[in-house]
Amino acid sequence: MSQSLKTILSLRELILGGELKSGERLSELSIVDRLGVSRTPVRMALVRLEEEGLLEAIPSGGYAVRHFSEADIFDAIETRGTLEGLAARLAAERGPSPGQIGEIKGCLRKLDVLVQHEAGADTFSAYVELNERFHQLLIHMAGSRVVARQIERAVALPFASPSAFVEVQAVLPESRAILLVAQEQHRSVVEAIERREGARAEALMREHSRVAHRNLVMALGHQNARDLVPGMALIRQSA
Amino acid sequence: MSQSLKTILSLRELILGGELKSGERLSELSIVDRLGVSRTPVRMALVRLEEEGLLEAIPSGGYAVRHFSEADIFDAIETRGTLEGLAARLAAERGPSPGQIGEIKGCLRKLDVLVQHEAGADTFSAYVELNERFHQLLIHMAGSRVVARQIERAVALPFASPSAFVEVQAVLPESRAILLVAQEQHRSVVEAIERREGARAEALMREHSRVAHRNLVMALGHQNARDLVPGMALIRQSA
DNA sequence: TCTGATAAAAATGTATACAGGCGACAGCAT
DNA sequence: ATGCTGTCGCCTGTATACATTTTTATCAGA
């Protein structure tokens, strides 16, 4: 593994874990001391994490840990939903190959099995994996590098990911119900795409992203749930 | 001006001007020889231009000039339209301040004057400037840092910008008509936002982006028009 | 005590030296 | 003649030294 990649991963973990407080200026040398790599890979990592949205450039030079308001997270989720809606519409309009449809239907079936059974400890991690896979397949069906890239950037923010709040669901009583609704949306989107119903596919995918929004509100409510969301330490009252 | 910024600007110009052919691998040292700066700012510029979408990382290391298909440009425009549609909807739903409404209406009036009069040489550059300003104001009215940032990234691709094909319009006979239609869309979007009609504002902004799509087709048709579009040298038949 | 300037300390921006890896080319063997 | 292999060279990744700017702390004066 390259030093740059190692630095990126370490820094991201430190930021999301809340060990680097938001608003705090990150000096390159302090990171050098902390991680034991030279300044060059540190600088690389800082640039990439700024593009990723976790850091913000200070006008006079250097970087600071970015902080987010609840509204920012709401908007990030809405943005992802809008872009995934675009992907779903394009997939429907362009008509994916039978192979792609078969693949995503297979993914649906596996998700069905998980959702039907009662939730266990490792069931959720399997669900996260399959859920991510479903979203990946859907993006792939749109058949556009440009759209895929844009979505990649949108989900780079930790709480914008389709699976950001799944861990939270695990501790909530409504979790089964939410999962069932989400899975129904998955199924409906695939159906819409298969029938070339672009507008329906788009609307469904947008609405699907809003389960994350509901989960956000719940996560902010229950203090014990906050710790389960990656990057929750970055949230401040002020924008 | 910092060396890094100078390198970014120079490299971008070289790429968009077609002096660096698409697919060509960029060796750091060759750029050092060409621009007279050291490797460090060159590396910085390469990373940033990759994030911007002009370069792509080669798996074995280094960067190559990216190339785009007509479909890529279509999708980039569609993506921008979708995100600007989101911004318009949010602006409508959230209700911008009277000051913001007044500001964008002032912009509208100035555009009206330009569009009414016959097109001159510098009229178009003034139009480009006001058009950019209109889109900026609209994004600002959405009141979301996250959405604004995402749109910034979407318009970073040279031909995805709202003004990418305005230069082309100048040499086409239909230019006046297109400008009138676009201006009508501008006006309608502002009206929709003012009336809190989110769905209408969104739909209008999406459709508005599609004038760029039509211009793209025309630009690809007329060979003499191709040279007026920045970054047209990056377009290849194969994806 | 507060304000201002000045100087020191630190941090970033830049240049360059060093090391490891990947690819190309040539030579040898089959 | 063709395929394999070893070596050479270029290129990227990394480390570090140097310069310039920014920040901070201290001290003098009002």
Side-chain angles (χ1 to χ4, degrees):
Chain A
M1 181 189 301
S2 75
Q3 299 291 74
S4 296
L5 187 57
K6 173 188 165 189
T7 308
I8 290 177
L9 296 177
S10 302
L11 264 184
R12 191 185 288 143
E13 199 169 348
L14 286 175
I15 296 171
L16 262 45
E19 298 189 47
L20 298 170
K21 285 160 193 153
S22 68
E24 180 179 344
R25 182 176 191 148
L26 293 185
S27 113
E28 294 176 4
L29 288 180
S30 67
I31 301 172
V32 166
D33 292 341
R34 196 156 186 168
L35 300 182
V37 295
S38 82
R39 278 185 62 204
T40 306
V42 168
R43 286 180 70 77
M44 281 299 171
L46 290 174
V47 170
R48 298 224 106 105
L49 290 175
E50 190 237 329
E51 298 286 348
E52 192 172 316
L54 255 45
L55 301 179
E56 60 188 345
I58 299 174
S60 63
Y63 297 92
V65 179
R66 202 168 161 201
H67 50 226
F68 300 90
S69 65
E70 185 180 340
D72 286 330
I73 303 178
F74 183 100
D75 294 343
I77 294 171
E78 198 70 11
T79 303
R80 167 173 68 85
T82 302
L83 287 171
E84 286 186 338
L86 169 64
R89 175 169 67 85
L90 290 180
E93 289 172 356
R94 294 174 181 179
S97 71
Q100 288 177 319
I101 300 230
E103 213 171 350
I104 204 168
K105 279 189 169 175
C107 188
L108 269 184
R109 274 194 298 274
K110 288 182 194 164
L111 276 167
D112 269 333
V113 174
L114 277 185
V115 173
Q116 296 298 329
H117 289 55
E118 199 53 51
D122 52 291
T123 308
F124 267 99
S125 77
Y127 178 81
V128 168
E129 199 170 323
L130 276 173
N131 188 48
E132 300 264 8
R133 181 171 158 74
F134 178 86
H135 283 254
Q136 277 309 120
L137 286 172
L138 182 119
I139 292 165
H140 187 64
M141 283 199 298
S144 169
R145 295 187 308 162
V146 174
V147 172
R149 188 184 169 90
Q150 200 69 22
I151 294 179
E152 256 177 48
R153 292 166 151 186
V155 301
L157 290 178
F159 28 73
S161 152
S163 311
F165 296 98
V166 171
E167 299 285 335
V168 175
Q169 288 180 31
V171 301
L172 295 174
E174 311 94 325
S175 68
R176 274 287 312 265
I178 295 178
L179 251 53
L180 284 170
V181 169
Q183 174 66 358
E184 176 60 25
Q185 290 167 332
H186 286 163
R187 191 201 329 278
S188 301
V189 163
V190 171
E191 181 184 276
I193 291 173
E194 201 174 6
R195 293 190 191 169
R196 303 293 198 95
E197 298 165 348
R200 179 182 171 211
E202 175 166 21
L204 277 167
M205 213 54 203
R206 277 202 194 187
E207 195 59 29
H208 180 56
S209 75
R210 288 175 185 134
V211 305
H213 179 224
R214 179 203 264 188
N215 287 338
L216 163 66
V217 176
M218 294 201 289
L220 289 174
H222 306 285
Q223 182 57 45
N224 58 340
R226 289 183 77 113
D227 307 330
L228 293 172
V229 180
M232 214 50 156
L234 303 179
I235 299 177
R236 287 281 176 282
Q237 291 290 20
S238 66
Chain B
M1 180 190 304
S2 75
Q3 299 291 73
S4 296
L5 187 56
K6 173 188 164 189
T7 309
I8 291 178
L9 295 177
S10 303
L11 263 184
R12 192 187 286 142
E13 199 170 348
L14 286 175
I15 295 171
L16 261 45
E19 297 189 47
L20 297 171
K21 285 161 194 152
S22 67
E24 181 178 343
R25 180 175 190 150
L26 294 184
S27 118
E28 294 176 3
L29 287 181
S30 68
I31 301 172
V32 166
D33 293 340
R34 196 156 187 168
L35 300 182
V37 294
S38 82
R39 276 185 62 205
T40 306
V42 168
R43 285 181 71 76
M44 280 298 172
L46 290 174
V47 170
R48 299 222 106 103
L49 290 175
E50 190 239 328
E51 297 287 346
E52 192 172 315
L54 257 44
L55 300 179
E56 60 189 346
I58 298 173
S60 62
Y63 297 92
V65 179
R66 202 167 159 202
H67 49 225
F68 298 90
S69 66
E70 185 180 341
D72 286 330
I73 303 178
F74 183 101
D75 293 343
I77 295 171
E78 198 70 11
T79 303
R80 167 173 67 85
T82 301
L83 287 171
E84 286 187 336
L86 169 63
R89 174 170 67 84
L90 290 181
E93 289 173 354
R94 295 174 181 181
S97 72
Q100 288 176 321
I101 300 231
E103 212 170 351
I104 204 168
K105 278 189 170 176
C107 187
L108 268 184
R109 275 194 299 273
K110 288 182 194 162
L111 275 167
D112 269 333
V113 174
L114 277 184
V115 173
Q116 296 297 329
H117 290 53
E118 199 53 51
D122 53 292
T123 307
F124 266 99
S125 77
Y127 178 80
V128 168
E129 199 171 322
L130 276 173
N131 188 49
E132 299 263 9
R133 182 170 156 73
F134 178 87
H135 283 254
Q136 277 309 120
L137 286 173
L138 182 118
I139 292 165
H140 188 65
M141 284 199 297
S144 169
R145 295 188 308 161
V146 174
V147 172
R149 188 183 168 89
Q150 198 71 23
I151 293 179
E152 257 178 48
R153 291 166 153 184
V155 301
L157 290 178
F159 28 74
S161 152
S163 311
F165 296 98
V166 171
E167 300 285 336
V168 174
Q169 288 181 30
V171 301
L172 294 176
E174 310 92 324
S175 68
R176 274 289 310 267
I178 295 178
L179 249 53
L180 284 171
V181 170
Q183 175 65 358
E184 175 61 24
Q185 289 168 333
H186 285 164
R187 192 199 330 275
S188 301
V189 163
V190 172
E191 181 184 277
I193 290 174
E194 203 174 3
R195 293 189 191 169
R196 303 293 198 93
E197 299 165 347
R200 179 183 170 210
E202 174 165 21
L204 277 166
M205 212 54 203
R206 276 202 194 186
E207 195 59 30
H208 180 57
S209 75
R210 287 175 187 136
V211 306
H213 178 223
R214 181 202 263 187
N215 288 337
L216 164 65
V217 175
M218 294 200 290
L220 289 174
H222 306 287
Q223 182 57 44
N224 59 341
R226 290 183 75 112
D227 308 329
L228 293 172
V229 181
M232 215 50 156
L234 302 179
I235 299 178
R236 289 279 177 282
Q237 292 291 20
S238 64

